[in-house]
Amino acid sequence: MPSIRAPASKQTATLQVAVKCRPLTDDEQRRSRHIIQVIDDKTVVVLDPDLSKDYLDLIQNRTKERRYTFDHVYPPGCSNSDVYKNISSTISGVVQGLNATVFAYGSTGSGKTYTMVGTHSDPGLMVLSFRTIFELIKKDGGPDTFEVSCSYLEVYNEVIYDLLEKSSGHLELREDPQHGIIVAGLRSIKVHSADRILELLNIGNSRRKTESTEANATSSRSHAVLEITVKRKQKGQYGNQVLRGKLALVDLAGSERASETNNFGQKLRDGANINRSLLALANCINALGKQNKKGLAYVPYRNSKLTRILKDGLSGNSQTVMVATISPADDQYHHTTNTLKYADRAKEIKTHVHKNIGTLDTHVEDYQRMIDSLQVEVSQLKKELAEKEHQLSVKPTEKAADSELSWLNVLSQETGENVQERINLQKALFELEETNKRNRLELQHLDDAIARHQVKEMDSTVLQALTSRRQVILDNIRDNDEAGSGYRKVLIFFYSLWFSCLQVTLRSFSLRTLK
C-alpha cells in the first residue's frame, strides 16, 4: 500500500457555484408562469410571482424579485455539455493527484439527476467526467502507469448501501487517519475503460431507490455518490512515487413538501429523512459561509451521514463544484429562492487543495539491488577493519594493542550483525511484496468474476463462494501490509543504529590518531 507523505504546500480554493435552470414542462407551460430571467452568464433574476399588488405594496415598492450572481449561470435549454465545459479543468486535476467533488443541489423535480446522470443523447456530468479521465490517461505518453477504480454508494433513510453489491447490507462510516472519512466494507472495482464505469453506473442506478410522486415521476429517494480513484505511479530513483486523485460525483435527493407530493406512509417518512439530511447539509453550508466571513463557527457535520461523506468536498482537500438546479415555474418560487440562497452562501466556502503524494513499496528489482549493496558494504567494512587491526598490532605497547583489537572485534561483530539483520528484513519485505502482488492479482480476478455473476444473476452459491474467497484475500492483504509496516519501522531503526555506530567509530579513530 502507498504511504502518504505530508503535502509540500496547500492552496486555498473557493467553492465554484453554477446555477442551471431547466425548461418548463408541457404541463407547467399550461398552468405556470416563467419567473427566471438569465441576465448574462453570471447573473440570474427571480421575478416576483405575484402579479397583483395591493396599494401598500405599490406605494412602498415591495417586491419578491431577487437577483443573484454566481460563477456560472445556464439558461433553460442548455445541455449538460455546456455545464461541463466550465468544470472540465477541475476534473482534469484528478489525473495529477488532486481531489475533486461535484454535486447537484436543488428541490425535487429541478433536474439534479438529469444533470448528473443525463441521457444517451445528453450525457450527464458523471459520464462526461470519467470519459475525460480515460481520455487524459490515453493521451499521456510518459512512463507513468495508471490504476483506476470506482465505488458507488447510496444513503437511504440515513443508512448506507453499496450499489455495486446485489444485496448490500448496512455499511458504517469510519475515520481513517490517512484518508479521512471512509465507508467500511464498500466495494471498489478496478476499471480499464469509461464504458466499464458506465456499465457499473447503470447497474447501481437500477438498484437505487426511486419512487413516483406528484412532484416528480421518477423521484430519487436516496443520495448517491460515485467515487473514482486514480493512482498514478511515477518511477523515481528511490522507488515509485504515487499520485492519488479522487473524484466524488454526488447526485442528491431533492427536498420536497408533503403538500406538493401528496405522499403518505413510507414515502412520507422517506421525504422527512431526505429533508433532514438536506437540512444538515444546508446548516453546514451556512456555518462554513459564516466561518470564512466572521471567523470560527461550529460546522455540524455529524448531524447526517451525508454531510460526513461530503466533509472533504465542503471544507477539506478538494476542488469542489456545486451545481444548483432550479425550476422556472412560479409555483416553485419558494424552492427556487431557497436553493439560490444556499448556493449564494456556498460561494464563501474555502477548501485547501494539495496533491496526494505517496511512495509505493519498492519493486523486486529494487529489493535485490539493496541486498547486493548491503553485502558489498559488509565486505568493505570487513576489509577496513582488518587493515586497522594490522596497524594496531604493530604498536609497541602490547596491552594497548590487545585493547584496541578487542574493541575492534566487538565493533566488527556488532556491525556484521546489524547488516545481516537488515538483509533479513529486506528479504522478508521482498517476500511480502511478492505475496501481496499475487493476492491483488487474484482479488482483481475475483472482482471481475463477481461483477459478471451479478450482471448475469447466476447461481447464488457460486457468488457466495467467490465473495467469501474475496474476503479472505482482503484479510491476507491487510495482514501483510501491517507486517510490512512493522518490518519497515525495524529496518529504519537498524539503519539509524548503524549510522550512529559509524559516527562513533570515526570519532574514536580520530581521537586515537590525534593521541
Side-chain angles (χ1 to χ4, degrees):
M1 294 288 290
S3 58
I4 305 299
R5 297 196 309 236
S9 62
K10 292 184 179 181
Q11 293 182 346
T12 301
T14 304
L15 192 141
Q16 187 180 161
V17 181
V19 172
K20 181 172 181 276
C21 180
R22 68 164 175 80
L24 288 172
T25 63
D26 293 338
D27 183 56
E28 286 173 336
Q29 288 178 1
R30 289 190 294 270
R31 61 179 173 81
S32 300
R33 188 169 64 91
H34 198 293
I35 60 169
I36 297 298
Q37 184 178 356
V38 177
I39 304 299
D40 53 38
D41 60 353
K42 293 185 181 296
T43 308
V44 61
V45 175
V46 185
L47 303 176
D48 192 335
D50 298 330
L51 293 176
S52 60
K53 298 285 184 182
D54 59 25
Y55 178 74
L56 281 177
D57 289 337
L58 291 172
I59 292 298
Q60 297 179 7
N61 196 24
R62 294 176 183 171
T63 180
K64 292 182 179 179
E65 183 174 305
R66 299 287 183 270
R67 178 185 291 260
Y68 299 92
T69 302
F70 299 99
D71 295 300
H72 309 285
V73 175
Y74 303 96
C78 69
S79 66
N80 290 325
S81 298
D82 296 330
V83 180
Y84 185 73
K85 286 176 185 176
N86 292 313
I87 68 169
S88 58
S89 59
T90 300
I91 306 301
S92 302
V94 176
V95 182
Q96 304 299 328
L98 297 173
N99 293 342
T101 303
V102 180
F103 69 97
Y105 182 90
S107 61
T108 187
S110 62
K112 296 182 305 303
T113 300
Y114 184 90
T115 300
M116 295 305 297
V117 180
T119 62
H120 181 73
S121 59
D122 187 17
L125 303 184
M126 286 183 173
V127 180
L128 295 171
S129 295
F130 56 68
R131 282 181 181 172
T132 295
I133 287 174
F134 279 99
E135 285 171 3
L136 291 171
I137 291 174
K138 188 176 180 180
K139 289 179 182 177
D140 186 86
D144 299 351
T145 58
F146 294 87
E147 182 182 293
V148 183
S149 58
C150 80
S151 62
Y152 198 21
L153 64 84
E154 71 171 349
V155 183
Y156 175 67
N157 284 341
E158 281 301 294
V159 178
I160 301 172
Y161 298 94
D162 189 344
L163 290 174
L164 299 183
E165 290 284 356
K166 187 176 182 181
S167 300
S168 169
H170 298 184
L171 303 180
E172 295 298 329
L173 289 172
R174 296 282 186 268
E175 192 90 29
D176 185 88
Q178 283 188 343
H179 304 297
I181 299 294
I182 62 171
V183 180
L186 181 66
R187 185 180 175 196
S188 181
I189 298 178
K190 288 183 180 178
V191 290
H192 303 286
S193 67
D195 290 338
R196 176 60 175 152
I197 300 184
L198 183 59
E199 179 186 345
L200 294 173
L201 179 64
N202 291 331
I203 292 172
N205 286 337
S206 68
R207 295 170 182 160
R208 191 178 171 191
K209 278 76 173 176
T210 58
E211 293 284 352
S212 175
T213 69
E214 288 198 10
N216 190 359
T218 54
S219 176
S220 300
R221 313 304 291 168
S222 66
H223 312 293
V225 182
L226 176 69
E227 188 170 283
I228 301 170
T229 303
V230 180
K231 292 182 183 177
R232 180 173 187 161
K233 301 174 185 176
Q234 299 177 312
K235 291 190 176 181
Q237 185 179 0
Y238 301 106
N240 285 349
Q241 180 173 277
V242 178
L243 299 178
R244 186 178 183 273
K246 183 176 68 176
L247 172 62
L249 299 160
V250 188
D251 178 21
L252 299 175
S255 60
E256 56 189 32
R257 293 182 179 181
S259 59
E260 295 176 358
T261 57
N262 288 328
N263 286 342
F264 57 88
Q266 183 59 43
K267 286 186 183 180
L268 183 63
R269 288 190 290 273
D270 290 354
N273 283 320
I274 290 168
N275 290 343
R276 190 177 297 117
S277 60
L278 289 172
L279 178 61
L281 176 59
N283 289 337
C284 287
I285 291 173
N286 279 338
L288 288 165
K290 291 178 183 176
Q291 193 176 71
N292 287 289
K293 270 190 172 181
K294 302 178 181 179
L296 294 176
Y298 171 69
V299 184
Y301 289 116
R302 290 192 170 272
N303 287 1
S304 167
K305 290 184 178 177
L306 172 67
T307 50
R308 290 184 68 191
I309 290 172
L310 292 179
K311 182 177 179 180
D312 258 356
L314 290 175
S315 64
N317 172 25
S318 176
Q319 293 179 309
T320 303
V321 179
M322 173 183 179
V323 181
T325 57
I326 56 175
S327 166
D330 57 356
D331 58 357
Q332 295 293 307
Y333 172 82
H334 293 290
H335 287 305
T336 297
T337 53
N338 279 337
T339 298
L340 294 175
K341 177 179 67 176
Y342 289 122
D344 193 53
R345 290 175 183 171
K347 294 189 302 183
E348 306 296 331
I349 296 176
K350 307 287 185 183
T351 59
H352 306 283
V353 183
H354 61 80
K355 284 189 177 182
N356 302 301
I357 304 175
T359 53
L360 192 68
D361 295 341
T362 318
H363 282 216
V364 176
E365 295 82 1
D366 297 327
Y367 279 131
Q368 191 59 52
R369 213 163 27 244
M370 292 170 73
I371 291 171
D372 293 341
S373 67
L374 287 171
Q375 289 174 336
V376 171
E377 183 184 321
V378 170
S379 300
Q380 290 176 344
L381 285 171
K382 285 182 176 179
K383 184 178 178 181
E384 290 176 6
L385 287 171
E387 291 175 355
K388 293 296 181 183
E389 287 175 359
H390 177 70
Q391 291 174 5
L392 291 171
S393 64
V394 298
K395 284 188 175 181
T397 309
E398 187 176 348
K399 185 176 180 180
D402 290 341
S403 174
E404 295 289 346
L405 287 171
S406 174
W407 173 74
L408 282 171
N409 285 332
V410 171
L411 185 62
S412 175
Q413 183 179 353
E414 290 179 352
T415 304
E417 291 174 355
N418 184 299
V419 174
Q420 189 59 47
E421 286 293 336
R422 280 187 279 157
I423 291 173
N424 292 338
L425 285 169
Q426 293 288 3
K427 287 181 178 178
L429 281 170
F430 164 80
E431 292 171 359
L432 282 175
E433 174 73 15
E434 282 287 279
T435 303
N436 261 3
K437 189 182 290 184
R438 291 193 296 270
N439 283 336
R440 289 191 175 94
L441 184 62
E442 183 178 353
L443 184 64
Q444 184 176 351
H445 292 324
L446 285 169
D447 283 338
D448 292 340
I450 290 171
R452 286 196 300 272
H453 278 74
Q454 287 181 334
V455 173
K456 296 178 182 178
E457 297 187 354
M458 296 176 69
D459 188 3
S460 60
T461 307
V462 176
L463 186 60
Q464 186 177 2
L466 290 170
T467 306
S468 299
R469 177 59 183 168
R470 182 179 182 275
Q471 188 58 48
V472 171
I473 295 298
L474 282 172
D475 291 341
N476 290 340
I477 291 173
R478 185 186 65 249
D479 293 342
N480 287 343
D481 286 337
E482 290 176 357
S485 178
Y487 286 158
R488 288 185 194 91
K489 289 178 181 176
V490 176
L491 187 60
I492 291 170
F493 168 75
F494 275 113
Y495 265 111
S496 62
L497 185 63
W498 171 80
F499 186 69
S500 298
C501 289
L502 186 62
Q503 286 181 318
V504 171
T505 304
L506 293 172
R507 198 176 295 115
S508 300
F509 275 127
S510 299
L511 290 172
R512 283 171 173 76
T513 304
L514 290 172
K515 290 178 180 178

